[in-house]
Amino acid sequence: MKRLEGGRLPAPPQNDAGHTWHHSDEQLLLIVRDGLAAIVPGYETDMPSYGEVLSDDQIMSILAFIKTNWSERERAFQAARSAP
């Protein structure tokens, strides 16, 4: 992945080629709601946090839509990571 002009990495694709599916639902919720620093302290990103404008339920609905872009294999892997 090529770095942006400012030196940061761009957002990953939200399909099988990206890495979003490597994270549990809990981690994804934290990233979207509180920012990536919630799970990777000190990591600099251009992605804003959305906790001020979206409820947890709304974020989970968006993540459910993103999951439709993953193959069955990636969905199964991610579901296993999210299991209690």
Side-chain angles (χ1 to χ4, degrees):
M1 188 176 296
K2 184 178 177 186
R3 292 191 178 271
L4 300 172
E5 210 171 281
R8 295 183 179 158
L9 291 171
Q14 298 302 312
N15 59 22
D16 300 1
H19 64 266
T20 304
W21 57 271
H22 291 107
H23 300 288
S24 69
D25 285 341
E26 180 181 0
Q27 289 175 323
L28 293 173
L29 174 63
L30 287 172
I31 291 168
V32 176
R33 186 185 65 207
D34 304 325
L36 191 56
I39 69 165
V40 185
Y43 186 86
E44 293 186 18
T45 179
D46 292 330
M47 180 182 161
S49 57
Y50 290 92
E52 299 275 328
V53 294
L54 297 172
S55 69
D56 287 2
D57 286 342
Q58 289 171 315
I59 293 169
M60 294 308 293
S61 292
I62 292 165
L63 293 172
F65 172 75
I66 288 171
K67 292 176 186 184
T68 66
N69 292 303
W70 302 343
S71 71
E72 186 175 323
R73 183 183 138 242
E74 280 72 24
R75 284 192 304 272
F77 178 91
Q78 197 274 337
R81 286 211 97 157
S82 297

